[in-house]
Amino acid sequence: MNAGILGLGKYLPERVLTNAELEKMVDTSDEWIRTRTGIEERRIASDDIQSSHMATMAAEEAIRDAGLTANDIDMILVATITPDYGFPSVASMVQHNIGARHIPAMDVSAACAGFIYGAVTAKQFVESGVCKHVLVIGVEKLSKITDYTDRNTCVLFGDAAGAAVIGPVSDGKGILSFELGTDGSGLKHLFQDGDYIYMNGREVFKFAVRQMGESSLNVIEKANLQKEDVDYFIPHQANMRIMESARQRLGVPVEKMAYTVNKYGNTSSSTIPIALYEAVKEGKINDDDVIVMVGFGGGLSWGALTLRWGK
Ligand code: UT7
């Protein structure tokens, strides 16, 4: 039995924070942000919207999109580094909010690689026959751990949620291969220092450029595919320059790469499901297309997978 994606959902807060507004908050410029990162604006959740709210909205849409109800969900995995509380998990709040049965629910902490970690975990439960439908959500309220006096980080991050229902699909479709990895010696380059995110941008940049390319090539090989077989590439949306270097390494044409960082900035675990959602809804992904998704981030951790689209 193969596990694939049956439905998708997303939630984006209404409030848009533009580069022009950031120019008034820190010593930066629209030009610097655009040319160094590709980001034009990002979304910021209001005080009364926490990760659990955003996750619930995205989850409900994904369940509808899969043609299911909350009753059909057998497990909930929420990838997040910005839970509402230290405990309980966001997943347990989503279980209650959507009215699911008393199923297993837990959070996965793998920063920007979190959605890939969640999807790969879901695959194990589906393919072993333990669960039929696993709800995987990437959600972040990064604005609550962003220091809006630190120009090195505050221009980068945003808030959002993306969700997928993972379940059985027909032969040859679904998640074909994956790679997950961690190098904890890189912790010092990206972590939450007290209340806020600390990041050594240059070090993370070097790691990301190397890892995104390598992991993508590894999962293509593991799936017995060639670079030319890739129909759509969904890199974690952190920085247009990092994405561009990975794209060139794979030789994927520019129109075949997801690009949402301009609109939403870096929303950590939610960038990949949101980018996938938008590509599918815009008709950029068709039945039987081979998709490569790759994420990297704090840990340092990374994850990649290949997926053949369709049920
Ligand atoms: O989800 C995973 C987490 N993070 C990432 O993927 C981030 C990876 N890193 C990056 O995307 C890039 O390193 C950044 C966008 C963060 C920075 O770009 P960079 O080209 O690596 O710039 P830099 O760190 O080498 O800094 C160049 C200059 C510095 O000034 P000096 O020391 O040369 O005088 C910075 O202080 O740019 C300065 N700078 C800024 N200037 C205007 C840093 N942030 C800003 C800013 N506005 N917002």
Side-chain angles (χ1 to χ4, degrees), residues 37-96:
T37 72
I39 301 168
E40 291 161 26
E41 55 188 45
R42 67 290 289 142
R43 301 296 179 92
I44 303 294
S46 54
D47 290 345
D48 56 334
I49 302 281
Q50 297 301 327
S51 289
S52 63
H53 299 95
M54 295 191 280
T56 301
M57 302 293 276
E60 286 174 341
E61 184 181 6
I63 294 168
R64 272 198 310 275
D65 190 47
L68 301 172
T69 68
N71 213 30
D72 299 313
I73 301 299
D74 301 308
M75 176 181 269
I76 302 171
L77 301 171
V78 176
T80 188
I81 53 168
T82 48
D84 300 27
Y85 305 108
F87 73 91
S89 64
V90 174
S92 65
M93 301 168 83
V94 171
Q95 179 276 328
H96 177 69

Side-chain angles (χ1 to χ4, degrees), residues 225-272:
L225 295 168
Q226 311 290 322
K227 286 197 284 189
E228 302 69 49
D229 297 324
V230 178
D231 296 300
Y232 207 73
F233 179 47
I234 308 187
H236 168 49
Q237 308 279 312
N239 181 316
M240 154 268 280
R241 287 150 58 212
I242 299 173
M243 293 157 53
E244 199 39 34
S245 88
R247 182 187 73 75
Q248 285 173 11
R249 218 165 143 193
L250 293 193
V252 176
V254 73
E255 66 278 8
K256 298 273 182 183
M257 179 174 80
Y259 195 76
T260 60
V261 72
N262 57 327
K263 300 184 284 187
Y264 309 136
N266 179 350
T267 61
S268 190
S269 64
S270 69
T271 68
I272 291 174

Side-chain angles (χ1 to χ4, degrees), residues 8 65 232 275-285 291 309:
L8 291 163
D65 190 47
Y232 207 73
L276 174 64
Y277 174 111
E278 296 198 349
V280 169
K281 304 291 169 197
E282 286 163 17
K284 292 179 181 161
I285 292 177
I291 308 168
W309 187 250

